[in-house]
Amino acid sequence: MFWGLIIEPGKKYSQTVDSSFHISKATLDLSSATDEDITLLLDYEGQQEYILCHLNKSNKQECLDLNFQAGDSISLFSHGQASVHLSGYLLGDDDDDEMTLGDMMEEEEEDEDEEEDEDVDEEMDIKDLRASLVAKAVKRAQPEKSKDGKAQKKAKVEIEQEDDDEEEAEEEEEPKQPSPKQLSKAQKKKEKKALKQQQSPKPAGAAPAQQPQVKKEGAPPAADKKTKAEAPKSPAKQTLPGGLVVEDLKVGSGPESKKGDMVAVYYCGKLAKNGKQFDQTNKGPGFKFKLGQGRVIKGWDLGVAGMKVGGKRKLTIPASLAYGAGGAPPQIPPNSTLVFDVELKALN
């Protein structure tokens, strides 16, 4: 429903609000305007005077985004010799079907619990596999003693096996002593073994020298587990139906807000596409509104619900839950995604 008020020069319009309303625009009456600037001011709750906008013949209107709730004590007046027309609309109280943030998050809790259980099982399987690999690597690295007390490796490195195969191939190509009779397979094998032992005897201290290299191969899995355990946790972040993204920057320690509460917040609003700030409140009692009653954009009713006093939350609100296809020119273009940093200061 439309709301309007004409601010005449030298008059002050004071009232305690009965029905909540929104002021959208201030327009200068050119029929009474002079060359001087007209300043529109607000006295809110008996605090200091706030300048809402400056108007003149070259800047004859300004878009505003002001909400006043029932019980607020306000005074509107101007400095200058021309009238100022204020226009807006009354705020309704019939949004009983809206869901709060807590209601929406309950729908996803069961799925999140199942995903967490699956992640824990998968992590345990990976840890068991790594522990098994480390145990095998250590076992391979331990030397075994022969009957004469000398240490020998139980398993050879693949590079040594390749070298042994090449040596065996070269030995087979070496000319053997002429024999009037063809040697049997058993005789050839025995002769080859004896020749190999004579030509390339293994030194007693050679095997343990490679032990550090085998142990080094098992080190990365333990380092990986330590890095994984020290990874920092990211802040809680939820994407709600409609595309609203809610990220808790700080969880408060006070009472939790719910639908119907009168809340007071500090906030800073920016355009998502370029980060340009279009509005903020960070002093005094903060911006007050009744939660879940449609007195602010829908993204706020959904995103502020569930916050605790003292908490901070980042809201990324798509145009469908903000000002839609029309926007709020000139500060907010059509179809704009908005980003708000909100701090809950108090609630009733």
Side-chain angles (χ1 to χ4, degrees), residues 5 28 67 71-72 190 198 206 220 236 250 261 331:
L5 176 66
L28 178 66
N67 288 334
D72 289 347
K190 185 176 181 181
Q198 293 177 359
K250 175 185 176 183
D261 288 339
Q331 289 92 345

Side-chain angles (χ1 to χ4, degrees), residues 11-309:
K11 293 184 178 181
K12 191 171 187 178
Y13 299 82
S14 302
Q15 68 167 327
T16 299
V17 179
D18 294 329
S19 299
S20 301
F21 65 94
H22 177 272
I23 300 179
S24 303
K25 187 175 295 185
T27 305
L28 178 66
D29 185 355
L30 295 178
S31 63
S32 60
T34 61
D35 293 334
E36 67 175 351
D37 289 347
I38 306 298
T39 302
L40 179 63
L41 299 104
L42 167 68
D43 184 345
Y44 181 76
E45 298 287 351
Q47 302 175 12
Q48 65 181 20
E49 299 175 354
Y50 297 96
I51 298 175
L52 300 183
C53 65
H54 296 286
L55 300 173
N56 51 47
K57 287 185 176 181
S58 60
N59 181 34
K60 56 182 176 294
Q61 65 179 13
E62 282 286 351
C63 291
L64 303 175
D65 186 12
L66 301 174
N67 288 334
F68 298 100
Q69 284 77 39
D72 289 347
S73 178
I74 64 173
S75 296
L76 294 165
F77 56 99
S78 65
H79 289 167
Q81 299 302 318
S83 299
V84 177
H85 292 240
L86 300 180
S87 59
Y89 53 87
L90 296 178
L91 297 173
D93 297 328
D94 55 352
D95 293 330
D96 295 335
D97 296 333
E98 293 184 359
M99 296 177 66
T100 65
L101 174 64
D103 296 333
M104 292 181 175
M105 294 178 67
E106 285 177 1
E107 297 177 358
E108 301 179 4
E109 286 182 354
E110 294 184 2
D111 293 338
E112 292 177 356
D113 292 339
E114 293 177 359
E115 291 178 0
E116 289 178 359
D117 292 340
E118 292 177 358
D119 293 341
V120 171
D121 293 340
E122 183 178 351
E123 184 177 354
M124 291 299 296
D125 292 340
I126 294 175
K127 289 181 177 180
D128 292 342
L129 177 59
R130 287 178 174 170
S132 177
L133 293 175
V134 171
K136 290 181 179 179
V138 174
K139 185 176 180 180
R140 287 198 301 269
Q142 293 177 351
E144 293 183 357
K145 291 187 177 181
S146 61
K147 293 180 180 179
D148 56 359
K150 294 181 179 180
Q152 295 181 348
K153 288 178 64 67
K154 185 176 181 181
K156 295 183 179 180
V157 182
E158 292 181 1
I159 298 176
E160 292 181 350
Q161 292 178 347
E162 293 177 359
D163 293 340
D164 292 342
D165 294 340
E166 292 177 359
E167 291 176 2
E168 291 178 3
E170 292 176 357
E171 291 170 0
E172 290 178 359
E173 294 176 358
E174 291 180 358
K176 296 182 177 62
Q177 296 179 355
S179 175
K181 294 183 180 181
Q182 186 69 25
L183 296 175
S184 64
K185 292 182 179 180
Q187 291 174 332
K188 288 181 179 180
K189 187 175 181 180
K190 185 176 181 181
E191 184 177 272
K192 187 188 299 182
K193 185 176 181 180
L195 182 62
K196 182 178 178 181
Q197 290 178 352
Q198 293 177 359
Q199 292 181 351
S200 57
K202 295 282 185 177
Q210 295 183 357
Q211 183 173 344
Q213 182 178 356
V214 179
K215 287 185 178 180
K216 188 176 181 180
E217 292 175 359
D224 291 343
K225 289 194 292 185
K226 183 177 180 181
T227 302
K228 185 173 182 180
E230 295 176 354
K233 295 183 179 179
S234 59
K237 189 174 184 180
Q238 295 286 336
T239 300
L240 303 182
L244 172 64
V245 179
V246 177
E247 183 177 355
D248 280 310
L249 305 178
K250 175 185 176 183
V251 178
S253 58
E256 182 175 334
S257 61
K258 60 183 182 300
K259 185 175 181 180
D261 288 339
M262 180 68 74
V263 298
V265 300
Y266 284 174
Y267 69 92
C268 176
K270 299 180 181 179
L271 300 177
K273 66 178 181 179
N274 57 16
K276 182 179 179 181
Q277 179 177 312
F278 59 83
D279 193 13
Q280 75 169 352
T281 294
N282 58 6
K283 295 180 180 180
F287 174 67
K288 298 190 296 183
F289 66 98
K290 197 169 185 179
L291 186 61
Q293 301 299 317
R295 297 181 179 181
V296 291
I297 58 175
K298 194 168 185 179
W300 267 45
D301 272 340
L302 299 176
V304 175
M307 289 185 68
K308 294 183 178 181
V309 174

